[in-house]
PDB file of all heavy atoms in Angstrom:
ATOM      1  N   TRP A  25       0.836  -1.202   0.000  1.00  0.00           N
ATOM      2  CA  TRP A  25       0.000   0.000   0.000  1.00  0.00           C
ATOM      3  C   TRP A  25       0.872   1.255   0.000  1.00  0.00           C
ATOM      4  O   TRP A  25       0.590   2.225  -0.712  1.00  0.00           O
ATOM      5  CB  TRP A  25      -0.910  -0.018   1.220  1.00  0.00           C
ATOM      6  CG  TRP A  25      -1.849   1.153   1.297  1.00  0.00           C
ATOM      7  CD1 TRP A  25      -1.554   2.445   1.675  1.00  0.00           C
ATOM      8  CD2 TRP A  25      -3.238   1.153   0.952  1.00  0.00           C
ATOM      9  NE1 TRP A  25      -2.662   3.241   1.603  1.00  0.00           N
ATOM     10  CE2 TRP A  25      -3.708   2.479   1.170  1.00  0.00           C
ATOM     11  CE3 TRP A  25      -4.122   0.183   0.516  1.00  0.00           C
ATOM     12  CZ2 TRP A  25      -5.041   2.841   0.945  1.00  0.00           C
ATOM     13  CZ3 TRP A  25      -5.437   0.540   0.287  1.00  0.00           C
ATOM     14  CH2 TRP A  25      -5.892   1.850   0.499  1.00  0.00           C
ATOM     15  N   MET A  26       1.938   1.240   0.806  1.00  0.00           N
ATOM     16  CA  MET A  26       2.800   2.424   0.911  1.00  0.00           C
ATOM     17  C   MET A  26       3.583   2.669  -0.371  1.00  0.00           C
ATOM     18  O   MET A  26       3.810   3.827  -0.756  1.00  0.00           O
ATOM     19  CB  MET A  26       3.731   2.275   2.113  1.00  0.00           C
ATOM     20  CG  MET A  26       3.001   2.390   3.442  1.00  0.00           C
ATOM     21  SD  MET A  26       4.101   2.400   4.873  1.00  0.00           S
ATOM     22  CE  MET A  26       4.673   0.700   4.862  1.00  0.00           C
ATOM     23  N   ILE A  27       3.987   1.603  -1.048  1.00  0.00           N
ATOM     24  CA  ILE A  27       4.686   1.774  -2.328  1.00  0.00           C
ATOM     25  C   ILE A  27       3.755   2.400  -3.358  1.00  0.00           C
ATOM     26  O   ILE A  27       4.134   3.329  -4.093  1.00  0.00           O
ATOM     27  CB  ILE A  27       5.232   0.422  -2.830  1.00  0.00           C
ATOM     28  CG1 ILE A  27       6.343  -0.080  -1.901  1.00  0.00           C
ATOM     29  CG2 ILE A  27       5.766   0.549  -4.256  1.00  0.00           C
ATOM     30  CD1 ILE A  27       6.833  -1.479  -2.206  1.00  0.00           C
ATOM     31  N   GLY A  28       2.507   1.918  -3.395  1.00  0.00           N
ATOM     32  CA  GLY A  28       1.519   2.514  -4.295  1.00  0.00           C
ATOM     33  C   GLY A  28       1.251   3.967  -3.942  1.00  0.00           C
ATOM     34  O   GLY A  28       1.138   4.829  -4.820  1.00  0.00           O
ATOM     35  N   SER A  29       1.149   4.255  -2.639  1.00  0.00           N
ATOM     36  CA  SER A  29       0.917   5.623  -2.179  1.00  0.00           C
ATOM     37  C   SER A  29       2.081   6.534  -2.551  1.00  0.00           C
ATOM     38  O   SER A  29       1.897   7.702  -2.906  1.00  0.00           O
ATOM     39  CB  SER A  29       0.717   5.642  -0.658  1.00  0.00           C
ATOM     40  OG  SER A  29      -0.406   4.901  -0.283  1.00  0.00           O
ATOM     41  N   LEU A  30       3.298   5.992  -2.457  1.00  0.00           N
ATOM     42  CA  LEU A  30       4.489   6.773  -2.805  1.00  0.00           C
ATOM     43  C   LEU A  30       4.426   7.217  -4.269  1.00  0.00           C
ATOM     44  O   LEU A  30       4.724   8.378  -4.590  1.00  0.00           O
ATOM     45  CB  LEU A  30       5.733   5.933  -2.544  1.00  0.00           C
ATOM     46  CG  LEU A  30       7.085   6.622  -2.489  1.00  0.00           C
ATOM     47  CD1 LEU A  30       8.062   5.780  -1.696  1.00  0.00           C
ATOM     48  CD2 LEU A  30       7.656   6.862  -3.876  1.00  0.00           C
ATOM     49  N   ILE A  31       4.029   6.312  -5.141  1.00  0.00           N
ATOM     50  CA  ILE A  31       3.930   6.635  -6.573  1.00  0.00           C
ATOM     51  C   ILE A  31       2.844   7.675  -6.815  1.00  0.00           C
ATOM     52  O   ILE A  31       3.056   8.685  -7.504  1.00  0.00           O
ATOM     53  CB  ILE A  31       3.655   5.363  -7.390  1.00  0.00           C
ATOM     54  CG1 ILE A  31       4.838   4.398  -7.285  1.00  0.00           C
ATOM     55  CG2 ILE A  31       3.376   5.711  -8.856  1.00  0.00           C
ATOM     56  CD1 ILE A  31       4.559   3.022  -7.845  1.00  0.00           C
ATOM     57  N   VAL A  32       1.670   7.448  -6.222  1.00  0.00           N
ATOM     58  CA  VAL A  32       0.527   8.340  -6.452  1.00  0.00           C
ATOM     59  C   VAL A  32       0.775   9.723  -5.868  1.00  0.00           C
ATOM     60  O   VAL A  32       0.658  10.745  -6.561  1.00  0.00           O
ATOM     61  CB  VAL A  32      -0.759   7.739  -5.850  1.00  0.00           C
ATOM     62  CG1 VAL A  32      -1.906   8.753  -5.892  1.00  0.00           C
ATOM     63  CG2 VAL A  32      -1.150   6.474  -6.597  1.00  0.00           C
ATOM     64  N   PHE A  33       1.118   9.775  -4.577  1.00  0.00           N
ATOM     65  CA  PHE A  33       1.257  11.074  -3.920  1.00  0.00           C
ATOM     66  C   PHE A  33       2.574  11.764  -4.269  1.00  0.00           C
ATOM     67  O   PHE A  33       2.662  12.996  -4.224  1.00  0.00           O
ATOM     68  CB  PHE A  33       1.101  10.920  -2.412  1.00  0.00           C
ATOM     69  CG  PHE A  33      -0.305  10.609  -1.998  1.00  0.00           C
ATOM     70  CD1 PHE A  33      -0.663   9.318  -1.628  1.00  0.00           C
ATOM     71  CD2 PHE A  33      -1.280  11.591  -2.012  1.00  0.00           C
ATOM     72  CE1 PHE A  33      -1.965   9.027  -1.264  1.00  0.00           C
ATOM     73  CE2 PHE A  33      -2.586  11.311  -1.658  1.00  0.00           C
ATOM     74  CZ  PHE A  33      -2.941  10.024  -1.280  1.00  0.00           C
ATOM     75  N   GLY A  34       3.598  10.974  -4.609  1.00  0.00           N
ATOM     76  CA  GLY A  34       4.822  11.600  -5.104  1.00  0.00           C
ATOM     77  C   GLY A  34       4.565  12.348  -6.402  1.00  0.00           C
ATOM     78  O   GLY A  34       5.007  13.486  -6.587  1.00  0.00           O
ATOM     79  N   GLY A  35       3.818  11.705  -7.309  1.00  0.00           N
ATOM     80  CA  GLY A  35       3.448  12.374  -8.560  1.00  0.00           C
ATOM     81  C   GLY A  35       2.552  13.563  -8.322  1.00  0.00           C
ATOM     82  O   GLY A  35       2.706  14.626  -8.956  1.00  0.00           O
ATOM     83  N   PHE A  36       1.609  13.406  -7.381  1.00  0.00           N
ATOM     84  CA  PHE A  36       0.697  14.499  -7.035  1.00  0.00           C
ATOM     85  C   PHE A  36       1.498  15.684  -6.484  1.00  0.00           C
ATOM     86  O   PHE A  36       1.234  16.853  -6.804  1.00  0.00           O
ATOM     87  CB  PHE A  36      -0.302  14.004  -5.991  1.00  0.00           C
ATOM     88  CG  PHE A  36      -1.631  14.699  -6.021  1.00  0.00           C
ATOM     89  CD1 PHE A  36      -2.748  14.107  -5.444  1.00  0.00           C
ATOM     90  CD2 PHE A  36      -1.797  15.953  -6.599  1.00  0.00           C
ATOM     91  CE1 PHE A  36      -3.984  14.726  -5.451  1.00  0.00           C
ATOM     92  CE2 PHE A  36      -3.018  16.587  -6.611  1.00  0.00           C
ATOM     93  CZ  PHE A  36      -4.112  15.984  -6.040  1.00  0.00           C
ATOM     94  N   ALA A  37       2.501  15.389  -5.632  1.00  0.00           N
ATOM     95  CA  ALA A  37       3.313  16.452  -5.029  1.00  0.00           C
ATOM     96  C   ALA A  37       4.098  17.225  -6.078  1.00  0.00           C
ATOM     97  O   ALA A  37       4.263  18.444  -5.979  1.00  0.00           O
ATOM     98  CB  ALA A  37       4.261  15.852  -3.993  1.00  0.00           C
ATOM     99  N   LEU A  38       4.588  16.525  -7.101  1.00  0.00           N
ATOM    100  CA  LEU A  38       5.320  17.209  -8.173  1.00  0.00           C
ATOM    101  C   LEU A  38       4.431  18.210  -8.904  1.00  0.00           C
ATOM    102  O   LEU A  38       4.891  19.275  -9.327  1.00  0.00           O
ATOM    103  CB  LEU A  38       5.861  16.174  -9.167  1.00  0.00           C
ATOM    104  CG  LEU A  38       6.997  15.275  -8.673  1.00  0.00           C
ATOM    105  CD1 LEU A  38       7.314  14.218  -9.713  1.00  0.00           C
ATOM    106  CD2 LEU A  38       8.237  16.098  -8.348  1.00  0.00           C
ATOM    107  N   LEU A  39       3.150  17.865  -9.032  1.00  0.00           N
ATOM    108  CA  LEU A  39       2.229  18.729  -9.760  1.00  0.00           C
ATOM    109  C   LEU A  39       1.627  19.835  -8.897  1.00  0.00           C
ATOM    110  O   LEU A  39       1.440  20.957  -9.356  1.00  0.00           O
ATOM    111  CB  LEU A  39       1.088  17.886 -10.347  1.00  0.00           C
ATOM    112  CG  LEU A  39       1.484  16.851 -11.409  1.00  0.00           C
ATOM    113  CD1 LEU A  39       0.284  15.988 -11.765  1.00  0.00           C
ATOM    114  CD2 LEU A  39       2.037  17.542 -12.641  1.00  0.00           C
ATOM    115  N   ILE A  40       1.340  19.511  -7.647  1.00  0.00           N
ATOM    116  CA  ILE A  40       0.556  20.416  -6.808  1.00  0.00           C
ATOM    117  C   ILE A  40       1.376  21.090  -5.717  1.00  0.00           C
ATOM    118  O   ILE A  40       1.235  22.286  -5.461  1.00  0.00           O
ATOM    119  CB  ILE A  40      -0.615  19.654  -6.142  1.00  0.00           C
ATOM    120  CG1 ILE A  40      -1.507  19.027  -7.206  1.00  0.00           C
ATOM    121  CG2 ILE A  40      -1.425  20.571  -5.237  1.00  0.00           C
ATOM    122  CD1 ILE A  40      -2.151  20.017  -8.161  1.00  0.00           C
ATOM    123  N   HIS A  41       2.252  20.327  -5.084  1.00  0.00           N
ATOM    124  CA  HIS A  41       2.892  20.791  -3.853  1.00  0.00           C
ATOM    125  C   HIS A  41       4.237  21.472  -4.093  1.00  0.00           C
ATOM    126  O   HIS A  41       4.981  21.743  -3.149  1.00  0.00           O
ATOM    127  CB  HIS A  41       3.062  19.606  -2.893  1.00  0.00           C
ATOM    128  CG  HIS A  41       3.283  20.007  -1.470  1.00  0.00           C
ATOM    129  ND1 HIS A  41       2.491  20.929  -0.807  1.00  0.00           N
ATOM    130  CD2 HIS A  41       4.215  19.598  -0.562  1.00  0.00           C
ATOM    131  CE1 HIS A  41       2.934  21.073   0.421  1.00  0.00           C
ATOM    132  NE2 HIS A  41       3.971  20.273   0.607  1.00  0.00           N
ATOM    133  N   GLU A  42       4.571  21.717  -5.325  1.00  0.00           N
ATOM    134  CA  GLU A  42       5.793  22.443  -5.697  1.00  0.00           C
ATOM    135  C   GLU A  42       7.057  21.743  -5.195  1.00  0.00           C
ATOM    136  O   GLU A  42       8.033  22.383  -4.786  1.00  0.00           O
ATOM    137  CB  GLU A  42       5.740  23.881  -5.180  1.00  0.00           C
ATOM    138  CG  GLU A  42       4.587  24.690  -5.777  1.00  0.00           C
ATOM    139  CD  GLU A  42       4.545  26.115  -5.248  1.00  0.00           C
ATOM    140  OE1 GLU A  42       5.338  26.439  -4.350  1.00  0.00           O
ATOM    141  OE2 GLU A  42       3.716  26.892  -5.736  1.00  0.00           O
ATOM    142  N   VAL A  43       7.036  20.424  -5.200  1.00  0.00           N
ATOM    143  CA  VAL A  43       8.227  19.637  -4.855  1.00  0.00           C
ATOM    144  C   VAL A  43       8.934  19.254  -6.149  1.00  0.00           C
ATOM    145  O   VAL A  43       8.312  18.735  -7.072  1.00  0.00           O
ATOM    146  CB  VAL A  43       7.830  18.361  -4.071  1.00  0.00           C
ATOM    147  CG1 VAL A  43       9.048  17.471  -3.857  1.00  0.00           C
ATOM    148  CG2 VAL A  43       7.204  18.740  -2.738  1.00  0.00           C
ATOM    149  N   THR A  44      10.232  19.544  -6.244  1.00  0.00           N
ATOM    150  CA  THR A  44      10.982  19.175  -7.438  1.00  0.00           C
ATOM    151  C   THR A  44      11.369  17.702  -7.375  1.00  0.00           C
ATOM    152  O   THR A  44      11.321  17.077  -6.311  1.00  0.00           O
ATOM    153  CB  THR A  44      12.253  20.028  -7.567  1.00  0.00           C
ATOM    154  OG1 THR A  44      13.138  19.709  -6.480  1.00  0.00           O
ATOM    155  CG2 THR A  44      11.918  21.511  -7.529  1.00  0.00           C
ATOM    156  N   ILE A  45      11.759  17.150  -8.524  1.00  0.00           N
ATOM    157  CA  ILE A  45      12.184  15.743  -8.556  1.00  0.00           C
ATOM    158  C   ILE A  45      13.382  15.520  -7.643  1.00  0.00           C
ATOM    159  O   ILE A  45      13.449  14.505  -6.929  1.00  0.00           O
ATOM    160  CB  ILE A  45      12.520  15.328 -10.001  1.00  0.00           C
ATOM    161  CG1 ILE A  45      11.251  15.333 -10.861  1.00  0.00           C
ATOM    162  CG2 ILE A  45      13.163  13.935 -10.015  1.00  0.00           C
ATOM    163  CD1 ILE A  45      11.493  14.979 -12.307  1.00  0.00           C
ATOM    164  N   LEU A  46      14.326  16.458  -7.636  1.00  0.00           N
ATOM    165  CA  LEU A  46      15.503  16.330  -6.767  1.00  0.00           C
ATOM    166  C   LEU A  46      15.091  16.339  -5.297  1.00  0.00           C
ATOM    167  O   LEU A  46      15.565  15.504  -4.507  1.00  0.00           O
ATOM    168  CB  LEU A  46      16.488  17.461  -7.043  1.00  0.00           C
ATOM    169  CG  LEU A  46      17.774  17.437  -6.213  1.00  0.00           C
ATOM    170  CD1 LEU A  46      18.552  16.141  -6.450  1.00  0.00           C
ATOM    171  CD2 LEU A  46      18.643  18.661  -6.521  1.00  0.00           C
ATOM    172  N   ASN A  47      14.201  17.276  -4.924  1.00  0.00           N
ATOM    173  CA  ASN A  47      13.724  17.320  -3.542  1.00  0.00           C
ATOM    174  C   ASN A  47      13.001  16.038  -3.164  1.00  0.00           C
ATOM    175  O   ASN A  47      13.129  15.533  -2.042  1.00  0.00           O
ATOM    176  CB  ASN A  47      12.780  18.515  -3.348  1.00  0.00           C
ATOM    177  CG  ASN A  47      13.540  19.809  -3.145  1.00  0.00           C
ATOM    178  OD1 ASN A  47      14.734  19.797  -2.898  1.00  0.00           O
ATOM    179  ND2 ASN A  47      12.848  20.928  -3.248  1.00  0.00           N
ATOM    180  N   LEU A  48      12.223  15.521  -4.106  1.00  0.00           N
ATOM    181  CA  LEU A  48      11.478  14.279  -3.865  1.00  0.00           C
ATOM    182  C   LEU A  48      12.448  13.127  -3.603  1.00  0.00           C
ATOM    183  O   LEU A  48      12.275  12.372  -2.645  1.00  0.00           O
ATOM    184  CB  LEU A  48      10.573  13.977  -5.054  1.00  0.00           C
ATOM    185  CG  LEU A  48       9.610  12.779  -4.965  1.00  0.00           C
ATOM    186  CD1 LEU A  48       8.388  13.015  -5.837  1.00  0.00           C
ATOM    187  CD2 LEU A  48      10.280  11.471  -5.390  1.00  0.00           C
ATOM    188  N   LEU A  49      13.464  12.994  -4.445  1.00  0.00           N
ATOM    189  CA  LEU A  49      14.427  11.900  -4.302  1.00  0.00           C
ATOM    190  C   LEU A  49      15.220  12.019  -3.001  1.00  0.00           C
ATOM    191  O   LEU A  49      15.414  11.024  -2.292  1.00  0.00           O
ATOM    192  CB  LEU A  49      15.372  11.880  -5.499  1.00  0.00           C
ATOM    193  CG  LEU A  49      14.752  11.440  -6.830  1.00  0.00           C
ATOM    194  CD1 LEU A  49      15.757  11.611  -7.959  1.00  0.00           C
ATOM    195  CD2 LEU A  49      14.276   9.988  -6.747  1.00  0.00           C
ATOM    196  N   ILE A  50      15.664  13.238  -2.695  1.00  0.00           N
ATOM    197  CA  ILE A  50      16.427  13.427  -1.454  1.00  0.00           C
ATOM    198  C   ILE A  50      15.541  13.136  -0.246  1.00  0.00           C
ATOM    199  O   ILE A  50      15.954  12.471   0.706  1.00  0.00           O
ATOM    200  CB  ILE A  50      17.008  14.857  -1.372  1.00  0.00           C
ATOM    201  CG1 ILE A  50      18.039  15.070  -2.480  1.00  0.00           C
ATOM    202  CG2 ILE A  50      17.630  15.095   0.004  1.00  0.00           C
ATOM    203  CD1 ILE A  50      18.575  16.482  -2.547  1.00  0.00           C
ATOM    204  N   GLY A  51      14.303  13.635  -0.292  1.00  0.00           N
ATOM    205  CA  GLY A  51      13.370  13.397   0.802  1.00  0.00           C
ATOM    206  C   GLY A  51      13.123  11.913   1.018  1.00  0.00           C
ATOM    207  O   GLY A  51      13.119  11.425   2.154  1.00  0.00           O
ATOM    208  N   PHE A  52      12.927  11.182  -0.082  1.00  0.00           N
ATOM    209  CA  PHE A  52      12.714   9.738   0.026  1.00  0.00           C
ATOM    210  C   PHE A  52      13.930   9.047   0.626  1.00  0.00           C
ATOM    211  O   PHE A  52      13.815   8.218   1.533  1.00  0.00           O
ATOM    212  CB  PHE A  52      12.400   9.139  -1.341  1.00  0.00           C
ATOM    213  CG  PHE A  52      12.391   7.630  -1.343  1.00  0.00           C
ATOM    214  CD1 PHE A  52      11.303   6.934  -0.852  1.00  0.00           C
ATOM    215  CD2 PHE A  52      13.500   6.915  -1.805  1.00  0.00           C
ATOM    216  CE1 PHE A  52      11.301   5.530  -0.823  1.00  0.00           C
ATOM    217  CE2 PHE A  52      13.503   5.524  -1.787  1.00  0.00           C
ATOM    218  CZ  PHE A  52      12.398   4.842  -1.296  1.00  0.00           C
ATOM    219  N   LEU A  53      15.119   9.380   0.113  1.00  0.00           N
ATOM    220  CA  LEU A  53      16.345   8.731   0.579  1.00  0.00           C
ATOM    221  C   LEU A  53      16.618   9.018   2.050  1.00  0.00           C
ATOM    222  O   LEU A  53      17.050   8.131   2.796  1.00  0.00           O
ATOM    223  CB  LEU A  53      17.534   9.176  -0.280  1.00  0.00           C
ATOM    224  CG  LEU A  53      17.527   8.667  -1.731  1.00  0.00           C
ATOM    225  CD1 LEU A  53      18.652   9.306  -2.522  1.00  0.00           C
ATOM    226  CD2 LEU A  53      17.638   7.147  -1.771  1.00  0.00           C
ATOM    227  N   VAL A  54      16.336  10.262   2.474  1.00  0.00           N
ATOM    228  CA  VAL A  54      16.553  10.612   3.887  1.00  0.00           C
ATOM    229  C   VAL A  54      15.549   9.865   4.770  1.00  0.00           C
ATOM    230  O   VAL A  54      15.922   9.255   5.780  1.00  0.00           O
ATOM    231  CB  VAL A  54      16.429  12.132   4.095  1.00  0.00           C
ATOM    232  CG1 VAL A  54      16.408  12.466   5.590  1.00  0.00           C
ATOM    233  CG2 VAL A  54      17.588  12.863   3.427  1.00  0.00           C
ATOM    234  N   GLY A  55      14.263   9.926   4.399  1.00  0.00           N
ATOM    235  CA  GLY A  55      13.243   9.266   5.214  1.00  0.00           C
ATOM    236  C   GLY A  55      13.429   7.764   5.270  1.00  0.00           C
ATOM    237  O   GLY A  55      13.421   7.154   6.348  1.00  0.00           O
ATOM    238  N   PHE A  56      13.632   7.144   4.109  1.00  0.00           N
ATOM    239  CA  PHE A  56      13.805   5.692   4.053  1.00  0.00           C
ATOM    240  C   PHE A  56      15.146   5.276   4.648  1.00  0.00           C
ATOM    241  O   PHE A  56      15.232   4.313   5.420  1.00  0.00           O
ATOM    242  CB  PHE A  56      13.709   5.212   2.610  1.00  0.00           C
ATOM    243  CG  PHE A  56      13.782   3.714   2.453  1.00  0.00           C
ATOM    244  CD1 PHE A  56      12.645   2.941   2.557  1.00  0.00           C
ATOM    245  CD2 PHE A  56      15.002   3.078   2.226  1.00  0.00           C
ATOM    246  CE1 PHE A  56      12.713   1.557   2.435  1.00  0.00           C
ATOM    247  CE2 PHE A  56      15.075   1.704   2.104  1.00  0.00           C
ATOM    248  CZ  PHE A  56      13.927   0.936   2.202  1.00  0.00           C
ATOM    249  N   GLY A  57      16.201   6.024   4.298  1.00  0.00           N
ATOM    250  CA  GLY A  57      17.538   5.652   4.739  1.00  0.00           C
ATOM    251  C   GLY A  57      17.734   5.784   6.240  1.00  0.00           C
ATOM    252  O   GLY A  57      18.305   4.900   6.884  1.00  0.00           O
ATOM    253  N   PHE A  58      17.245   6.874   6.808  1.00  0.00           N
ATOM    254  CA  PHE A  58      17.430   7.106   8.240  1.00  0.00           C
ATOM    255  C   PHE A  58      16.719   6.033   9.060  1.00  0.00           C
ATOM    256  O   PHE A  58      17.299   5.451   9.988  1.00  0.00           O
ATOM    257  CB  PHE A  58      16.890   8.491   8.605  1.00  0.00           C
ATOM    258  CG  PHE A  58      17.002   8.824  10.074  1.00  0.00           C
ATOM    259  CD1 PHE A  58      18.236   9.084  10.640  1.00  0.00           C
ATOM    260  CD2 PHE A  58      15.874   8.869  10.880  1.00  0.00           C
ATOM    261  CE1 PHE A  58      18.345   9.383  11.997  1.00  0.00           C
ATOM    262  CE2 PHE A  58      15.971   9.167  12.233  1.00  0.00           C
ATOM    263  CZ  PHE A  58      17.211   9.424  12.791  1.00  0.00           C
ATOM    264  N   LEU A  59      15.468   5.741   8.711  1.00  0.00           N
ATOM    265  CA  LEU A  59      14.713   4.726   9.446  1.00  0.00           C
ATOM    266  C   LEU A  59      15.175   3.312   9.094  1.00  0.00           C
ATOM    267  O   LEU A  59      15.196   2.426   9.947  1.00  0.00           O
ATOM    268  CB  LEU A  59      13.220   4.888   9.172  1.00  0.00           C
ATOM    269  CG  LEU A  59      12.617   6.207   9.665  1.00  0.00           C
ATOM    270  CD1 LEU A  59      11.166   6.344   9.234  1.00  0.00           C
ATOM    271  CD2 LEU A  59      12.732   6.326  11.181  1.00  0.00           C
ATOM    272  N   GLY A  60      15.574   3.132   7.832  1.00  0.00           N
ATOM    273  CA  GLY A  60      16.089   1.825   7.430  1.00  0.00           C
ATOM    274  C   GLY A  60      17.360   1.475   8.165  1.00  0.00           C
ATOM    275  O   GLY A  60      17.589   0.305   8.519  1.00  0.00           O
ATOM    276  N   MET A  61      18.196   2.471   8.400  1.00  0.00           N
ATOM    277  CA  MET A  61      19.432   2.247   9.146  1.00  0.00           C
ATOM    278  C   MET A  61      19.126   1.810  10.577  1.00  0.00           C
ATOM    279  O   MET A  61      19.762   0.898  11.112  1.00  0.00           O
ATOM    280  CB  MET A  61      20.273   3.525   9.156  1.00  0.00           C
ATOM    281  CG  MET A  61      21.592   3.406   9.893  1.00  0.00           C
ATOM    282  SD  MET A  61      22.570   4.928   9.766  1.00  0.00           S
ATOM    283  CE  MET A  61      21.491   6.086  10.613  1.00  0.00           C
ATOM    284  N   GLN A  62      18.127   2.438  11.195  1.00  0.00           N
ATOM    285  CA  GLN A  62      17.748   2.048  12.556  1.00  0.00           C
ATOM    286  C   GLN A  62      17.202   0.626  12.590  1.00  0.00           C
ATOM    287  O   GLN A  62      17.500  -0.137  13.516  1.00  0.00           O
ATOM    288  CB  GLN A  62      16.687   3.010  13.097  1.00  0.00           C
ATOM    289  CG  GLN A  62      17.198   4.412  13.342  1.00  0.00           C
ATOM    290  CD  GLN A  62      16.146   5.270  13.988  1.00  0.00           C
ATOM    291  OE1 GLN A  62      15.640   4.956  15.058  1.00  0.00           O
ATOM    292  NE2 GLN A  62      15.786   6.356  13.331  1.00  0.00           N
TER     293      GLN A  62
END
């Protein structure tokens, strides 16, 4: 469900929330990486 949500809302954020592709990728890597490391 979360992977599907990531695709849907990530795309939505690029169109609506003024998030750039670079910001999206960095945000994903920080969120996933920080918690994944723990």
Side-chain angles (χ1 to χ4, degrees):
W25 182 283
M26 289 186 290
I27 293 173
S29 298
L30 195 157
I31 295 169
V32 171
F33 289 103
F36 208 160
L38 290 174
L39 296 173
I40 302 299
H41 199 49
E42 298 180 354
V43 174
T44 66
I45 293 178
L46 181 60
N47 279 346
L48 185 152
L49 290 174
I50 295 175
F52 171 78
L53 291 173
V54 170
F56 184 86
F58 179 71
L59 296 174
M61 181 176 63
Q62 292 185 58

